[in-house]
Amino acid sequence: RSFHVTGVQTCALPISVLGLRRTANLVGALVIRRAFPSSLNPGMARFWRDSSRDAQAAADLAPAVRRIEADEARTFSLLRRCGMAVLLARFRDYEDMLDLAATAPGEQVLQVENGRYGTNHAEVGHALALRWMLPGDLAAAIRWQYVPEDFVAAGEADPGASHGSSLSMICFGLLLDQVLALRSGGGILRDWSRYEARVLDCLAVTPDSIVEMIRHEPDDACMEAEAERDRKSTRLNSSHVKRSRM
């Protein structure tokens, strides 16, 4: 099934030709914020609020992992569920999926999406990343974000594929979800035991270091500063949308 969302077609920029990886990642984040502004609908505002929170938490967590840079961790965490923004813009009932995604394992969310919409946010996000010519390892990490074992199997079938960076991002995303769940009192995620060993091995972390990550929660001042940046971005996006309609 194909999707056409106003603004997406004009954002198909050859981002990779801008050179530096950090520049490509930064532009990718800016492009999706412009294509899907928080003012589009209430669900989109919630999506960006949650994504911005996760991205800030990822940047704070990255130094404790050392297998992923803070800016890469932040960008991946912001973009990994970008397919949800497309589905929010396309389907009026998709906001219900945000409630499910907050509590259910990622694979279960994908299954429900496939049943309702004939696609899922991982596939849609991967397609967007390829269209925007984001780095291939970032696009692959978006596609396989909940199933590192499937990514490894697919990579082994394609000897030319880049493994290391994609797998690090996938595993970091799974670790981030578990740390955030424990910080909020949610306990161990239902599918954590299935990929725990791979995450620990890939990121060179231990159960004890995860305990320290849980304890080292950013203070309210840092989170409020991030929220204020998000509010400013929302106001700028809203202003752009109004001008484009005049």
Side-chain angles (χ1 to χ4, degrees):
R1 184 182 298 186
S2 62
F3 297 94
H4 177 84
V5 180
T6 301
V8 174
Q9 301 298 323
T10 59
C11 292
L13 302 175
I15 291 173
S16 61
V17 305
L18 296 177
L20 296 177
R21 179 183 183 84
R22 288 184 180 181
T23 302
N25 286 341
L26 175 61
V27 172
L30 293 174
V31 163
I32 187 173
R33 293 299 294 262
R34 178 61 60 86
F36 305 102
S38 296
S39 58
L40 196 61
N41 58 53
M44 199 71 74
R46 176 184 172 185
F47 169 78
W48 282 120
R49 182 176 64 250
D50 292 347
S51 296
S52 296
R53 177 204 62 200
D54 290 355
Q56 181 59 40
D60 293 333
L61 189 64
V65 176
R66 299 179 183 176
R67 291 288 178 89
I68 186 170
E69 295 185 2
D71 68 307
E72 185 177 46
R74 182 186 179 109
T75 304
F76 173 62
S77 297
L78 187 67
L79 295 181
R80 61 180 173 154
R81 293 175 181 143
C82 62
M84 286 185 169
V86 179
L87 297 173
L88 272 167
R90 176 65 177 81
F91 299 106
R92 291 183 178 180
D93 66 340
Y94 188 80
E95 189 173 354
D96 295 343
M97 297 302 302
L98 299 182
D99 295 326
L100 180 64
T103 58
E107 280 193 277
Q108 181 181 336
V109 176
L110 300 185
Q111 291 170 2
V112 174
E113 289 174 337
N114 283 330
R116 285 190 183 183
Y117 311 114
T119 188
N120 60 69
H121 69 268
E123 291 179 347
V124 174
H126 178 246
L128 285 181
L130 293 178
R131 180 172 180 79
W132 294 336
M133 299 184 187
L134 288 170
D137 52 354
L138 176 59
I142 291 172
R143 173 66 183 88
W144 303 104
Q145 59 185 285
Y146 302 115
V147 282
E149 65 273 21
D150 289 356
F151 166 75
V152 171
E156 289 172 349
D158 179 8
S162 172
H163 289 223
S165 183
S166 294
L167 188 59
S168 293
M169 283 187 273
I170 293 169
C171 289
F172 181 82
L174 296 171
L175 174 64
L176 175 65
D177 288 341
Q178 181 58 80
V179 169
L180 291 178
L182 290 169
R183 283 179 179 175
S184 65
I188 302 297
L189 297 176
R190 277 179 277 172
D191 50 355
W192 173 251
S193 61
R194 197 183 81 203
Y195 48 68
E196 177 183 11
R198 186 178 295 279
V199 170
L200 298 182
D201 179 66
C202 176
L203 301 179
V205 296
T206 66
D208 288 341
S209 64
I210 293 177
V211 172
E212 290 302 313
M213 294 174 198
I214 298 166
R215 291 174 178 170
H216 184 64
E217 185 171 1
D219 58 36
D220 292 339
C222 292
M223 298 304 291
E224 177 57 30
E226 172 61 21
E228 178 59 23
R229 285 194 292 270
D230 186 49
R231 286 192 290 268
K232 288 180 179 179
S233 176
T234 297
R235 289 194 292 269
L236 288 173
N237 280 327
S238 298
S239 176
H240 170 77
V241 170
K242 291 178 181 177
R243 288 197 302 269
S244 67
R245 290 174 178 173
M246 295 178 64

